[in-house]
């Protein structure tokens, strides 16, 4: 059982801890554990973890690319930290954090728990990349006391590795009490503040503006849809932001596609949303999609692992080929033109998401913790 331990909560980025792991840290603290965070500082998240949530945070400038030459320097920093703090459990996340954490666990002979939020090898990826990333995961699984997966495809792959224990849980959990329709929200005024009209049909995406999230193609999709009341808003920042702006200008869609940047009012945005869309090439089990489901929203998503786990056989939305724009056009029109169908999908999602409540996930993790020495 994990109690009265000093735990290194290791992630590649501060955003991972801030966005996904705070309830998990709070639970571990409630069991008498001391939890300290180790991650790269990439934004306001690092300072907020310290100042707002009173967490001890150690900054190590990890890179997301596991093949970056600075990785060796960062591993030396991590070894020095372990010698200094004497953690007796490593709890690691993300590919780079997962490798680093398990290297430390091996060197210092301490238990290690690794959560795979989506292996970097997956159906549809290039054969070479799958070979490289699968080989890495297979090797380091040998130094993993508990390998925790969050979707069926990853779980089946992990069972073939030599981790001491392999588990599947229902994602990182969503707080159903937090994500509820804001009945006091003035929807008309709020829509206006976003540059939308009262009767607009609102499609929303939440996520980084990068190649993997694949939302850039949706600008072309919206251009193909002639209904001017269908509007698309994107919450997030990223390296491709300028390309998004150029694409919006190319199609003269400034009135129909809104880049909102990073937002802390996601509950209000989802309250005025009609349809959530997730065209990613790779997901583990999307928290943003789960949040949308908490609002009884139908979903259009790419047909990939994680998304399939949440939507089933098109039971909570429509699954599309992530490379086929016309698939997305037809899915959007099918749902937006059929209110009864939209309601049916949303009702299913509202009920199904109860399986992914943070309380359910913490109970699943509690059973796993009992097996960790």
């Amino acid at each position: 059982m994990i109690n009265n331990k000093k735990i290194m909560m290791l992630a590649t980025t501060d955003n991972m801890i801030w966005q996904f792991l705070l309830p998990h840290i709070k639970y571990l603290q409630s069991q008498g554990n001391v939890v300290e965070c180790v991650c790269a500082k990439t934004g306001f998240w690092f300072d907020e973890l310290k100042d707002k949530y009173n967490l001890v945070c150690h900054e190590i400038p990890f890179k997301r690319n596991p093949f970056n030459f600075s990785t060796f320097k960062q591993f030396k920093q991590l070894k020095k930290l372990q010698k200094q703090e004497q953690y007796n459990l490593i709890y690691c996340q993300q590919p780079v954090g997962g490798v680093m954490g398990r290297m430390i666990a091996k060197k210092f002979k301490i238990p290690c728990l690794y959560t795979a939020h989506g292996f970097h090898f997956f159906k549809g990826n290039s054969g070479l990349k799958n070979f490289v990333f699968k080989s890495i995961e297979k090797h380091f699984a040998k130094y993993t006391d508990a390998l925790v997966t969050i979707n069926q495809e990853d779980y089946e792959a992990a069972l073939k590795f030599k981790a001491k224990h392999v588990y599947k849980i229902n994602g990182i959990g969503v707080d159903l009490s937090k994500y509820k329709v804001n009945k006091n929200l003035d929807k008309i005024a709020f829509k206006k503040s976003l540059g939308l009209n009262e009767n607009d049909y609102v499609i929303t995406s939440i996520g980084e503006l990068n190649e993997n999230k694949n939302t850039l193609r949706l600008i072309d999709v919206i251009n193909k849809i002639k209904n001017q009341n269908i509007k698309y808003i994107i919450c997030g920042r990223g390296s491709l932001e300028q390309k998004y702006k150029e694409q919006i200008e190319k199609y003269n869609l400034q009135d129909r596609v809104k880049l909102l940047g990073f937002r802390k009012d996601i509950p209000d945005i989802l309250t005025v949303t009609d349809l959530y869309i997730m065209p990613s090439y790779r997901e583990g089990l999307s928290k943003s999609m789960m949040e949308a489901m908490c609002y009884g929203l139908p979903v259009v998503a790419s047909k990939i692992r994680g998304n399939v786990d949440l939507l089933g056989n098109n039971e909570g939305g429509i699954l599309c080929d992530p490379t086929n724009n016309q698939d997305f056009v037809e899915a959007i029109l099918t749902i937006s033109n059929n209110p009864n169908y939209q309601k049916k999908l949303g009702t299913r999602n509202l009920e199904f998401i109860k399986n992914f409540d943070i309380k359910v996930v913490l109970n699943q993790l509690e059973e796993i913790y009992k097996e960790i020495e």
Side-chain angles (χ1 to χ4, degrees), residues 75 90 98-112 139-140 142-145:
F75 182 63
I90 307 293
V99 168
M100 292 282 197
R102 287 178 286 182
M103 288 172 67
I104 291 294
K106 177 190 175 186
K107 182 173 182 61
F108 291 91
K109 295 180 172 59
I110 53 180
C112 180
H139 174 74
F140 284 101
K142 294 182 289 187
Y143 314 113
T144 311
D145 290 81

Side-chain angles (χ1 to χ4, degrees), residues 11 20 23 32 39 95 128 135-137 146 166 176 191 207-208 213 222 224 235 253 281 297 319 356:
F20 301 122
C39 57
L128 177 60
S135 298
I136 291 172
E137 292 290 353
V166 176
L176 297 186
K191 277 189 168 183
E208 192 173 342
K213 292 300 182 183
I222 294 299
K224 292 178 183 297
C235 303
L253 291 174
Y281 291 117
L297 294 178
L319 293 161
F356 300 84

Side-chain angles (χ1 to χ4, degrees), residues 5 50 61 121 177 181-182 184 189 225 239 260-261 285:
K5 295 185 182 297
K50 294 195 301 181
F121 61 90
S177 66
V181 172
N182 183 354
N184 296 319
I225 295 173
S239 58
L260 301 186
L285 197 74

Side-chain angles (χ1 to χ4, degrees), residues 131-354:
F131 174 77
V132 171
F133 285 110
K134 190 171 186 177
S135 298
I136 291 172
E137 292 290 353
K138 184 177 181 179
H139 174 74
F140 284 101
K142 294 182 289 187
Y143 314 113
T144 311
D145 290 81
L147 198 170
V148 181
T149 62
I150 59 175
N151 62 65
Q152 189 63 28
E153 183 179 316
D154 284 353
Y155 177 63
E156 291 174 4
L159 287 174
K160 299 175 184 178
F161 297 159
K162 294 184 178 179
K164 189 174 181 180
H165 298 286
V166 176
Y167 305 94
K168 175 177 173 287
I169 62 173
N170 293 1
I172 47 81
V174 287
D175 187 346
L176 297 186
S177 66
K178 177 181 177 182
Y179 292 100
K180 289 186 175 182
V181 172
N182 183 354
K183 295 181 180 179
N184 296 319
L185 180 68
D186 185 333
K187 292 184 179 182
I188 297 176
F190 186 69
K191 277 189 168 183
K192 186 177 180 180
S193 73
L194 300 178
L196 303 171
N197 299 317
E198 177 182 355
N199 296 321
D200 284 340
Y201 185 91
V202 182
I203 303 170
T204 298
S205 290
I206 302 169
E208 192 173 342
L209 308 183
N210 60 28
E211 295 285 353
N212 175 58
K213 292 300 182 183
N214 196 31
T215 45
L216 182 60
R217 76 169 54 252
L218 294 181
I219 298 173
D220 178 68
V221 168
I222 294 299
N223 184 57
K224 292 178 183 297
I225 295 173
K226 300 310 176 185
N227 184 342
Q228 298 298 303
N229 287 331
I230 291 180
K231 305 291 178 68
Y232 178 42
I233 59 178
I234 310 172
C235 303
R237 296 172 179 159
S239 58
L240 297 184
E241 185 169 348
Q242 185 57 38
K243 284 190 176 181
Y244 281 68
K245 292 178 179 178
E246 291 171 0
Q247 196 77 343
I248 291 169
E249 291 178 5
K250 174 184 174 181
Y251 291 123
N252 195 27
L253 291 174
Q254 292 89 338
D255 185 52
R256 295 184 61 199
V257 180
K258 309 290 182 179
L259 299 179
L260 301 186
F262 179 81
R263 305 285 297 207
K264 287 190 174 183
D265 57 350
I266 294 300
D268 288 345
I269 288 173
L270 292 176
T271 293
V272 299
T273 294
D274 297 289
L275 172 66
Y276 191 77
I277 192 163
M278 168 71 73
S280 308
Y281 291 117
R282 184 189 75 250
E283 291 290 337
L285 197 74
S286 169
K287 184 182 179 184
S288 67
M289 186 189 296
M290 290 190 284
E291 291 170 353
M293 292 168 70
C294 291
Y295 289 81
L297 294 178
V299 178
V300 169
S302 49
K303 191 174 184 179
I304 58 171
R305 64 159 187 211
N307 294 354
V308 174
D309 294 67
L310 290 172
L311 298 184
N313 186 22
N314 290 335
E315 294 159 359
I318 298 178
L319 293 161
C320 302
D321 177 346
T323 66
N324 190 324
N325 290 10
Q326 191 59 32
D327 268 13
F328 288 104
V329 170
E330 292 173 5
I332 290 169
L333 292 176
T334 295
I335 294 175
S336 63
N337 290 333
N338 294 276
N340 290 336
Y341 180 49
Q342 173 164 325
K343 184 177 180 180
K344 178 183 176 181
L345 296 173
T347 300
R348 178 267 183 190
N349 287 342
L350 197 57
E351 183 63 28
F352 188 73
I353 198 61
K354 293 177 182 177

Side-chain angles (χ1 to χ4, degrees), residues 15-38:
N15 180 42
M16 165 63 70
I17 297 174
W18 182 89
Q19 191 166 210
F20 301 122
L21 301 176
L22 287 171
H24 303 251
I25 292 172
K26 185 177 180 180
Y27 173 82
L28 289 167
Q29 290 174 327
S30 74
Q31 301 303 303
N33 298 292
V34 173
V35 183
E36 296 186 356
C37 302
V38 182

